[in-house]
Amino acid sequence: MIIGSSVRHYEKVSSTNTVASALLREATPPEGTVITASFQESGRGQGGNRWESEPGSNLLMSVILYPVMVKPAEQFVLSRMISLAVHDLVSLFTPDASIKWPNDIYVRDDKIAGILIENSIMGEILGSTAAGIGLNVNQTVFKSNVPNPISLATVTGTCHDLADISGKLVKLIDRWYDVVIRGETATLEKEYHRVLYRSGKWHLYRDKDGRFEGMIERVMPDGILVVRKKTGKTAEYAFKEIDYIL
Ligand code: BTN
């Protein structure tokens, strides 16, 4: 197993991704090093948002990778593989998990986990990756203005052992990272699309031109979302260029 070759747990950090970046700056930690924390003082989310997590309640993890086999233009493959691992973990507890593009994990219409992947690109290759995962496990009340948080405890009606959840996730990331190492991109793409939230059905969205009904067709290898409109034409979106109307 590559993932979990070294595990470092902290009671309190600024952010596990920041710890991962600092380790990468200072030395070359073993590939698969897992950093977990009980609490983050400055948990970071996508787009500069904060990640809320009450002390000791949730899974806060970053994994260090050296994905030299992935070209920078194909780095979305890492988003796919981490989201599939987290999706599979959540699916151990509920049949209603899906991946909301680009890499949120949903249960029905609520967000249970977020992923923050930070890559360092060295010329033509990805030098290193800090893959951060925040999974709501035992928190049941959320203060921040995220519209739709949910946790495993709320979904299942019971508390969960964080060490057990963490161990399961490490194994699943290892399994999906092996698919990346073997270059089986088609497997990753097929599975990602199979579990993609709202895929192939008409739903409401908003883009720069306003509200519209659209159908998600696919997510391209570079991570661009392709949505069919009622006119029959398709539109392509980068992250933050389209809102899902829930
Ligand atoms: C999102 O906005 O959806 C991404 C959230 C990612 C949160 C995780 S928690 C562990 C790691 N450390 C951080 O500061 N962020 C990520």
Side-chain angles (χ1 to χ4, degrees), residues 14-18 35 40 42-47 49-51 53 59-62 103-104 111 113-118 131-135 239:
S14 56
S15 145
T16 55
N17 266 35
T18 305
I35 297 135
Q40 298 184 133
S42 311
R44 294 190 279 120
Q46 288 168 0
N49 292 333
R50 286 180 72 90
W51 183 254
S53 178
L59 183 92
L60 304 166
M61 178 187 281
S62 297
N103 54 18
D104 288 341
K111 178 166 169 172
I115 292 165
L116 180 66
I117 297 196
E118 296 180 302
I133 300 145
L135 170 68
F239 184 50

Side-chain angles (χ1 to χ4, degrees), residues 6 17 87 102 107 140 200 222:
S6 162
N17 266 35
H87 168 271
V107 173
T140 51
D222 57 3

